[in-house]
Amino acid sequence: MWREAWSDFIDVLPYLLIGIAIGSVIYGFMPTDLLEQYAGPDNPFAIPVAAVIGVPLYIRAEAVIPLAAALMAQGVGAGTVLALIIGSAGASLTELILLRSLFTLKLLAAFLAVIFAMAMIAGYATYLFF
């Protein structure tokens, strides 16, 4: 069991380090005013933009925690970060290419619409309830 757990940890470690590095750059070098202006809780368009940006990014679960922490520490709203996470976890370009070989364009568009809708609903609900 120990060897299997260590093997899983080694497999995940590069992605974790990449997420920490990206989070460190955002935390250390991104201007707080810029992030608050465009991605803060006062901008209602930040959530749909974050959902759209999330799909091509495809942020792995291991990398999203340090990235989300850095974004929120710099003033990005929790709903915007949640929309980014759902958008990036819900679909990726490689996944869409694979699904295109299996589904029609209409079904693929419905899949994307559901991902974007869920990301936006979760983002706005975060601001509404929290």
Side-chain angles (χ1 to χ4, degrees):
M1 190 180 323
W2 170 254
R3 280 187 282 249
E4 188 173 328
W6 184 256
S7 174
D8 289 345
F9 173 73
I10 294 299
D11 290 343
V12 167
L13 185 61
Y15 301 106
L16 185 60
L17 293 175
I18 290 169
I20 291 170
I22 293 170
S24 298
V25 169
I26 290 171
Y27 185 77
F29 298 110
M30 284 291 259
T32 304
D33 297 338
L34 179 73
L35 284 175
E36 285 180 1
Q37 179 182 1
Y38 291 109
D42 297 334
N43 184 357
F45 297 110
I47 291 173
V49 169
V52 169
I53 289 172
V55 171
L57 285 182
Y58 181 63
I59 305 169
R60 291 183 55 95
E62 299 86 12
V64 80
I65 294 170
L67 179 62
L71 286 170
M72 290 181 70
Q74 289 290 65
V76 176
T80 304
V81 171
L82 187 59
L84 178 75
I85 291 169
I86 292 173
S88 65
S92 68
L93 290 178
T94 53
E95 182 181 11
L96 294 176
I97 291 168
L98 175 68
L99 290 176
R100 176 60 186 113
S101 68
L102 300 171
F103 300 143
T104 64
L105 278 177
K106 192 174 183 180
L107 191 54
L108 192 60
F111 172 75
L112 275 175
V114 168
I115 297 295
F116 289 132
M118 290 297 107
M120 289 189 293
I121 289 169
Y124 287 121
T126 300
Y127 288 134
L128 184 63
F129 296 118
F130 300 103

